[in-house]
């Protein structure tokens, strides 16, 4: 039993799911669902279809070159079963997975960081331009004037006294 | 030479069929349309053509028959004799002769009538001539009916004769009926001759083939021969005699030692002596069959017979002049020994072991099948026990293959622990360098305020855009002053913008303008007092007319409500209301194709 990768979107294809297409040149294509299969039949390039992992990796939206990604590699020569090795591998797998997720998240966060700056600048300009929609220009001025007058009167009264 | 191609003889049709065939062919293959106003040479040519065509057909067919059937003088004497025995040489020759005569007669008829046709002067005359010619030809053939039937039977039988090659190596079995000749041939070759307890089961010759010393041998089985003089022999026995007489073969004279065939040993010996002259110049083996007492295996008999025949053949070959040619071509090459080292042929160890194992009855190891039989229902095929692992106690482990969407086999690597260590070290370094520290948003109050204001602005803008979209741009456009602005809305709006609108009673917009002052007071008008009004007031309302008491009223009300229920539920005004409010509801037809069924589009 193996979990394969969909040719189009790189999603995991579990056993009993999806379709497999074998071409005349003996190349095998697996698809996770009819969406990918239909897109393939329409001869769409997965590297240009925005929602696929292939696009995301080729456009630099996700982590591509990393040591933690080298652990999961399809090996063509099977290794004989050895309980110790298998159990060690399982532990290692979990750790590697954790590290990989952390690194992938960090990568995406870094990418989105520049957006924060833009957001800040956009907010400032928005406020500058359109403040009149929520606040009248002389909003608190009447009160201020009143306060000033009261203050002045008080001063005058004091001075009189 | 049509020696052994007896199967290729064309079918001989019956006289009637032959005539029908030829006449219909004439009708189809020659032109059919002729008129009496045609020129006479054309008419003559037309009918001459028909006569010649018919004659040609008969001639061809009969010649073919004559050539197909073998001439008894041309074929091997064995076959000639066999055919004589089976079909009577005289009758055969006579039949063929008759066919030949018929052919010549037909040719003559055609020739005569064609000559006569030259003097036909009208269509009718020519036609009669043609008719006469064709009629005569057909009559000639009708007279050959018997010959044709006989020849057809001969052809059928001939095609079923066994193909015995008189020139190749042959073994001939002969003896009394029921001694076991057919059983012998069944055993030795792939022939399937009928074996039965009654005499004369085999009624004709049968051939089988076998291999010995890389050569093909014919084994010929004959019907049994009884002991009487040659003249009194019947057809079946004559076949055996013919075979004996003509085939250069090793003769196996089969004797029944147990006398089960019904004839004593002395009788068999008598027969042997009688047909002895036929064995001249042929290697002879006397075969003692059905012996349960003595252990003479038949194989050795056969070996001897073959060897003897081979030797005999070699001898005869040596005596002929061909010997020198053959000898020149024969030379056995042996490599010269360069030293005294013994180079014996190589037999692999496995072959030797297997040979030894075949000889000794060593106890076999326990097979899966034995285990299955032993356990019965509890048996499961467990191939894991044959695995070759480093630690054999791990053989029964259940090996995990998948974890959380990843194949474990993809991670298996003897150096995985080392690599994991390196990775973890790297990760530590990175963490120390501060890569994973979450950056606190060190935003001051000002920034937060700005953000809040920006969000408010955006919201306000959206609302304004929406309300502007709801405007009716197609309709008539009224000036702004046409609509009266309510004081409350104005004050609310300004308050939202942050201005103080608390006591604005004497502001310019709140004071009642002169329009209101100038309005005159309207007087309260008196209600009309007419009769119709008072009458309508005294009548009971409709939903209470005809209703006796409160209970009935309640029931009536529920009835009314019930009858309206269906229509209300469907949202229809009445029966004829077939309006659909939403033909294609958006929630069923819009949206992305996510994982799931897409059959409802």
């Amino acid at each position: 039993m193996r979990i394969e990768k969909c040719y189009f979107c790189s999603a995991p294809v579990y056993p009993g799911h999806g379709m497999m297409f074998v071409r005349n040149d003996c190349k095998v294509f697996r698809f996770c669902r009819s969406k990918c299969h239909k897109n393939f039949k329409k001869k769409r390039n997965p590297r240009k279809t925005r929602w696929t992992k292939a696009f995301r990796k080729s456009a630099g939206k996700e982590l591509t070159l990393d040591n933690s990604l080298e652990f999961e590699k399809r090996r063509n020569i099977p290794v004989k079963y050895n309980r110790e090795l298998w159990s060690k591998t399982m532990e290692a797998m979990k750790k590697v997975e954790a590290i990989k997720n952390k690194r992938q998240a960090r990568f995406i966060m870094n990418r989105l960081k520049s957006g924060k700056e833009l957001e800040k600048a956009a907010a400032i300009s928005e406020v500058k331009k359109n403040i009149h929609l929520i606040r009248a220009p002389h909003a608190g001025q009447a009160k201020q004037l009143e306060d000033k007058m009261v203050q002045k009167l008080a001063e005058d009264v004091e001075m009189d006294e | 030479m049509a020696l052994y191609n007896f199967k290729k003889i064309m079918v001989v049709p019956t006289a009637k069929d032959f005539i029908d065939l030829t006449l219909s062919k004439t009708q189809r293959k020659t032109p059919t349309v002729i008129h009496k106003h045609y020129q006479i040479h054309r008419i003559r040519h037309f009918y001459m053509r028909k006569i010649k065509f018919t004659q040609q057909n008969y001639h061809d067919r009969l010649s073919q028959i004559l050539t197909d059937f073998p001439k008894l003088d041309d074929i091997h004497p064995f076959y000639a004799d066999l055919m004589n025995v089976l079909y009577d040489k005289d009758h055969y020759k006579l039949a063929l002769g008759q066919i030949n005569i018929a052919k010549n007669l037909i040719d003559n008829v055609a020739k005569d009538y064609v000559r006569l046709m030259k003097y036909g002067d009208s269509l009718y005359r020519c036609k009669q001539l043609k008719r006469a010619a064709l009629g005569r030809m057909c009559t000639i053939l009708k007279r050959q009916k018997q010959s044709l039937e006989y020849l057809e039977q001969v052809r059928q039988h001939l095609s079923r004769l066994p193909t015995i090659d008189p020139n190749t190596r042959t073994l001939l079995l002969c003896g009394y009926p029921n001694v076991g000749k057919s059983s012998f041939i069944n055993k030795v070759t792939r022939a399937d001759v009928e074996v039965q307890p009654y005499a004369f089961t085999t009624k004709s010759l049968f051939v089988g083939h076998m291999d010995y010393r890389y050569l093909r041998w014919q084994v010929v089985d004959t019907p049994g021969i009884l002991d009487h003089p040659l003249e009194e022999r019947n057809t079946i026995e004559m076949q055996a005699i013919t075979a004996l007489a003509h085939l250069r073969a090793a003769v196996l004279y089969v004797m029944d030692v147990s006398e089960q065939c019904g004839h004593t040993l002395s009788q068999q010996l008598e027969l042997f002596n009688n047909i002895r002259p036929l064995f001249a110049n042929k290697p002879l083996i006397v075969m003692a069959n059905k012996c349960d007492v003595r252990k003479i295996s038949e194989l050795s008999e056969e070996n001897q017979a073959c060897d003897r025949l081979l030797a005999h053949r070699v001898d005869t070959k040596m005596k002929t002049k061909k010997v020198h040619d053959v000898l020149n071509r024969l030379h056995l090459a042996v490599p010269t020994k360069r030293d005294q080292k013994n180079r014996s042929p190589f037999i692999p160890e496995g072959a030797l072991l297997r040979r030894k194992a075949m000889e000794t009855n060593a106890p076999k190891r326990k097979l899966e099948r034995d285990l299955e039989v032993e356990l019965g229902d509890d048996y499961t095929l467990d191939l894991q026990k044959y695995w070759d692992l480093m630690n054999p106690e791990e053989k029964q482990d259940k090996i995990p293959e998948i974890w959380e969407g990843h194949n474990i086999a993809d991670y298996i690597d003897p150096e995985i622990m080392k690599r994991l260590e390196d990775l973890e070290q790297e990760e530590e370094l990175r963490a120390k360098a501060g890569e994973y520290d979450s950056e606190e948003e060190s935003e001051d109050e000002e920034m937060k305020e700005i953000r809040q204001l920006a969000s408010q602005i955006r919201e306000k803008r959206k609302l304004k855009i929406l309300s502007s979209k709801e405007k009716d741009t197609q309709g008539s456009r009224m000036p702004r002053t046409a609509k009266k602005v309510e004081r409350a809305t104005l004050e609310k709006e300004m308050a939202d913008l942050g201005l103080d609108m608390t006591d604005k009673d004497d502001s310019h917009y709140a004071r009642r303008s002169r329009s209101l002052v100038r309005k005159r007071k309207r007087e309260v008008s008196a209600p009309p007092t007419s009769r119709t009004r008072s009458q309508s007031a005294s009548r009971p309302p409709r939903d209470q007319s005809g209703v006796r008491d409160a209970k009935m009223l309640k029931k009536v009300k529920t009835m009314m409500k019930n009858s309206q229920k269906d229509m209300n539920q469907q949202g229809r005004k009445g029966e004829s209301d077939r309006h659909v409010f939403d033909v294609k509801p958006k929630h069923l037809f819009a949206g992305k194709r996510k994982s799931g069924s897409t059959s409802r589009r």
Side-chain angles (χ1 to χ4, degrees):
Chain A
M1 292 279 114
R2 252 192 89 82
I3 297 178
E4 306 285 349
K5 285 246 165 291
C6 172
Y7 167 81
F8 200 79
C9 64
S10 317
V13 185
Y14 276 78
H17 287 254
M19 278 232 264
M20 176 161 97
F21 166 61
V22 182
R23 211 162 51 179
N24 274 355
D25 60 359
C26 305
K27 192 159 188 308
V28 172
F29 299 91
R30 290 173 198 268
F31 305 105
C32 59
R33 55 201 197 279
S34 62
K35 176 177 181 179
C36 301
H37 189 42
K38 285 186 183 150
N39 273 314
F40 175 80
K41 283 196 278 191
K42 287 191 176 152
K43 293 187 166 185
R44 292 214 180 128
N45 188 356
R47 287 170 156 269
K48 288 199 185 165
T49 320
R50 293 193 81 91
W51 51 272
T52 56
K53 267 280 187 264
F55 171 85
R56 289 187 69 82
K57 294 228 151 117
S58 70
K61 296 196 185 286
E62 284 197 2
L63 188 64
T64 28
L65 301 167
D66 194 45
N67 282 348
S68 60
L69 296 172
E70 297 298 312
F71 279 78
E72 183 168 11
K73 193 169 57 161
R74 193 199 169 114
R75 282 150 232 274
N76 291 323
I77 307 165
V79 176
K80 270 203 188 161
Y81 177 69
N82 184 359
R83 194 187 289 168
E84 191 193 316
L85 179 63
W86 246 253
S87 51
K88 282 225 183 83
T89 305
M90 288 225 56
E91 289 170 25
M93 236 166 95
K94 295 179 183 150
K95 291 191 191 144
V96 165
E97 189 67 17
I99 292 172
K100 184 164 69 158
N101 287 340
K102 211 158 54 156
R103 290 195 187 175
Q104 277 175 341
R106 173 64 25 188
F107 182 85
I108 291 175
M109 272 300 148
N110 285 345
R111 190 164 60 86
L112 296 175
K113 235 191 275 191
S114 55
K116 293 242 165 71
E117 305 299 316
L118 290 171
E119 218 181 303
K120 235 192 231 182
I124 292 170
S125 78
E126 180 92 44
V127 164
K128 253 197 210 148
K129 280 198 207 147
N130 297 327
I131 189 71
H132 58 91
L133 291 176
I134 53 170
R135 214 166 276 182
H138 55 90
Q141 276 180 17
K143 192 90 193 308
Q144 270 181 8
L145 206 60
E146 222 182 290
D147 285 342
K148 247 190 182 167
M149 284 187 71
V150 162
Q151 206 183 23
K152 224 178 178 177
L153 273 171
E155 277 178 18
D156 285 345
V157 163
E158 266 186 43
M159 266 179 59
D160 283 345
E161 285 178 5
Chain B
M1 247 199 316
L3 251 189
Y4 311 114
N5 271 347
F6 295 152
K7 302 193 199 290
K8 292 240 182 93
I9 306 177
M10 280 286 280
V11 180
V12 180
T14 59
K16 192 161 163 303
D17 281 345
F18 202 167
I19 292 170
D20 286 339
L21 196 72
T22 315
L23 286 181
S24 73
K25 205 164 183 184
T26 315
Q27 191 168 18
R28 281 180 293 126
K29 302 275 183 187
T30 54
T32 48
V33 181
I34 190 86
H35 295 289
K36 54 176 192 204
H37 61 80
Y38 285 1
Q39 300 202 319
I40 191 66
H41 68 87
R42 193 172 158 186
I43 298 175
R44 280 192 201 129
H45 180 78
F46 174 82
Y47 284 113
M48 272 199 277
R49 189 168 163 183
K50 287 205 188 268
I51 297 174
K52 278 199 231 165
F53 187 85
T54 317
Q55 176 254 325
Q56 191 69 43
N57 270 332
Y58 277 134
H59 182 97
D60 286 341
R61 204 59 191 261
L62 292 171
S63 324
Q64 196 190 36
I65 292 173
L66 288 172
T67 46
D68 271 350
F69 275 90
K71 274 211 263 263
L72 291 178
D73 307 321
D74 283 345
I75 54 180
H76 193 272
F78 164 64
Y79 276 107
D81 226 2
L82 193 65
M83 283 177 72
N84 179 21
V85 164
L86 292 167
Y87 317 129
D88 192 11
K89 186 163 67 174
D90 297 332
H91 193 177
Y92 180 78
K93 279 194 174 170
L94 215 68
L96 285 177
Q98 294 280 10
I99 298 288
N100 200 16
I101 291 169
K103 185 176 83 172
N104 291 335
L105 284 176
I106 287 174
D107 288 344
N108 289 338
V109 160
K111 222 186 315 178
D112 288 337
Y113 276 89
V114 160
R115 222 180 307 134
L116 280 179
M117 191 73 74
K118 279 192 265 181
Y119 304 109
D121 47 359
S122 72
L123 180 113
Y124 178 72
R125 291 257 168 85
C126 291
K127 188 169 178 183
Q128 295 299 85
L129 281 171
K130 170 212 110 190
R131 210 156 155 260
L134 256 53
R136 276 182 72 169
M137 286 193 246
C138 294
T139 326
I140 293 169
L141 215 59
K142 242 194 281 187
R143 287 207 300 265
Q144 304 308 323
K145 188 165 138 179
Q146 307 277 5
S147 307
L148 288 169
E149 271 175 21
Y150 167 75
L151 282 172
E152 173 62 19
Q153 281 175 4
V154 165
R155 183 197 75 86
Q156 281 180 359
H157 198 270
L158 212 51
S159 69
R160 290 204 188 98
L161 283 183
T163 45
I164 302 174
D165 189 359
N167 295 328
T168 181
R169 304 158 282 274
T170 324
L171 294 175
L172 200 54
L173 299 166
C174 60
Y176 260 99
N178 246 352
V179 295
K181 304 185 286 295
S182 303
S183 317
F184 177 67
I185 196 176
N186 279 344
K187 271 271 183 283
V188 159
T189 69
R190 275 199 69 189
D192 207 359
V193 185
E194 211 185 320
V195 174
Q196 295 283 347
Y198 58 86
F200 286 105
T201 317
T202 315
K203 289 189 257 289
S204 63
L205 302 169
F206 284 97
V207 190
H209 293 86
M210 59 172 225
D211 295 316
Y212 173 66
R213 282 204 188 174
Y214 310 108
L215 294 168
R216 247 267 117 166
W217 296 79
Q218 269 181 147
V219 185
V220 179
D221 179 25
T222 64
I225 314 170
L226 294 170
D227 191 13
H228 34 233
L230 194 65
E231 299 77 38
E232 293 171 26
R233 295 202 185 277
N234 58 26
T235 325
I236 304 175
E237 290 173 331
M238 278 308 291
Q239 289 184 53
I241 301 292
T242 318
L244 273 174
H246 291 282
L247 291 176
R248 264 179 40 203
V251 179
L252 268 73
Y253 184 77
V254 186
M255 296 188 69
D256 187 355
V257 184
S258 65
E259 300 184 357
Q260 267 183 2
C261 62
H263 306 275
T264 61
L265 264 166
S266 53
Q267 281 178 322
Q268 296 183 37
L269 205 57
E270 261 295 310
L271 174 67
F272 178 72
N273 287 328
N274 277 344
I275 57 176
R276 215 187 172 136
L278 286 169
F279 300 154
N281 232 12
K282 298 188 185 101
L284 168 67
I285 297 285
V286 176
M287 216 164 83
N289 200 7
K290 300 190 198 174
C291 43
D292 304 298
V293 181
R294 268 169 272 162
K295 247 202 171 176
I296 309 172
S297 61
E298 284 157 277
L299 262 144
S300 67
E301 293 282 324
E302 170 211 319
N303 280 356
Q304 279 187 42
C306 292
D307 287 341
R308 277 217 204 166
L309 178 62
L310 207 56
H312 180 81
R313 285 171 80 90
V314 170
D315 287 336
T316 45
K317 272 226 171 75
M318 294 289 263
K319 284 174 203 152
T320 62
K321 291 194 186 99
K322 291 188 201 153
V323 90
H324 296 292
D325 304 340
V326 176
L327 268 180
N328 284 340
R329 277 183 258 142
L330 285 176
H331 172 66
L332 178 63
V334 173
T336 51
K337 284 194 188 292
R338 63 160 187 242
D339 54 19
Q340 297 306 100
K341 202 169 168 184
N342 179 27
R343 290 188 173 83
S344 53
F346 173 71
I347 302 173
E349 212 179 274
L352 276 172
L353 278 173
R354 214 174 293 138
R355 212 185 282 174
K356 231 196 297 175
M358 279 199 322
E359 288 162 20
T360 58
N361 279 335
K364 285 187 289 209
R365 64 170 209 279
K366 188 170 189 186
L367 301 172
E368 274 299 315
R369 177 71 189 148
D370 299 333
L371 193 62
E372 188 182 344
V373 163
E374 200 179 311
L375 290 176
D377 257 348
D378 310 326
Y379 171 73
T380 48
L381 177 64
D382 183 23
L383 290 171
Q384 285 187 319
K385 66 181 180 233
Y386 294 120
W387 284 358
D388 168 31
L389 301 173
M390 292 205 289
N391 312 342
E393 63 266 11
E394 294 171 359
K395 278 188 192 173
Q396 305 296 330
D397 272 3
K398 279 210 177 95
I399 304 175
E401 290 174 24
I402 292 172
W403 175 76
E404 282 222 352
H406 301 281
N407 295 309
I408 292 175
D410 289 346
Y411 284 85
I412 299 291
D413 191 4
E415 315 159 359
I416 193 168
M417 296 318 291
K418 185 167 149 317
R419 287 172 65 195
L420 179 67
E421 259 181 56
D422 293 339
L423 185 72
E424 288 191 321
Q425 273 176 10
E426 205 188 307
E427 195 66 16
E428 249 184 68
L429 286 171
R430 283 203 198 178
K432 263 197 213 144
E435 220 181 283
Y436 293 116
D437 301 336
S438 60
E439 287 170 22
E440 261 128 52
E441 298 294 314
S442 53
E443 268 191 357
D444 43 357
E445 280 290 325
E446 195 191 320
M447 206 52 228
K448 283 202 186 124
E449 218 187 292
I450 288 176
R451 276 194 204 271
Q452 200 201 10
L453 285 173
S455 66
Q456 281 178 351
I457 289 169
R458 286 189 203 119
E459 222 186 291
K460 192 78 193 283
R461 267 190 90 185
K462 280 192 197 142
L463 286 170
K464 278 199 153 207
I465 290 169
L466 277 176
S467 68
S468 138
K469 279 194 181 153
E470 282 167 7
K471 256 192 324 198
D472 178 20
T473 45
Q474 299 291 328
S476 55
R477 187 157 173 249
M478 302 290 275
R480 192 168 54 82
T481 45
K483 228 178 14 198
K484 183 177 186 299
V485 179
E486 293 292 324
R487 181 189 168 178
T489 46
L490 178 69
E491 293 205 334
K492 185 166 172 291
E493 237 183 81
M494 290 300 151
D496 284 342
L497 282 176
L499 297 165
D500 181 24
M501 290 278 158
T502 39
D503 48 336
K504 296 272 180 180
D505 272 338
D506 50 340
S507 62
H508 70 283
Y509 61 84
R511 262 184 288 142
R512 298 237 141 168
S513 48
R514 13 178 218 145
S515 52
L516 204 62
V517 172
R518 287 227 187 111
K519 246 196 222 172
R520 60 185 161 83
K521 273 190 175 176
R522 229 176 249 234
E523 270 137 27
V524 181
S525 44
T529 46
S530 50
R531 250 183 350 132
T532 49
R533 270 288 154 103
S534 59
Q535 254 189 8
S536 64
S538 63
R539 253 191 252 151
R542 266 217 204 136
D543 57 349
Q544 283 174 18
S545 68
V547 173
R548 279 181 243 116
D549 47 18
K551 186 169 154 211
M552 196 179 175
L553 176 68
K554 193 162 169 243
K555 186 164 182 180
V556 155
K557 270 206 158 58
T558 25
M559 278 171 73
M560 179 190 80
K561 289 256 162 65
N562 276 338
S563 68
Q564 289 171 356
K565 231 195 244 176
D566 277 338
M567 281 300 160
N568 289 347
Q569 205 162 45
Q570 290 167 20
R572 295 204 282 162
K573 276 186 284 192
E575 277 178 23
S576 64
D577 184 5
R578 282 189 289 269
H579 179 249
V580 179
F581 284 90
D582 201 350
V583 178
K584 286 173 71 163
K586 187 167 179 189
H587 70 283
L588 292 178
F589 288 93
K592 298 187 184 173
R593 281 177 168 258
K594 296 223 185 114
S595 198
S597 173
T598 51
S599 59
R600 271 178 278 115
R601 279 293 164 92

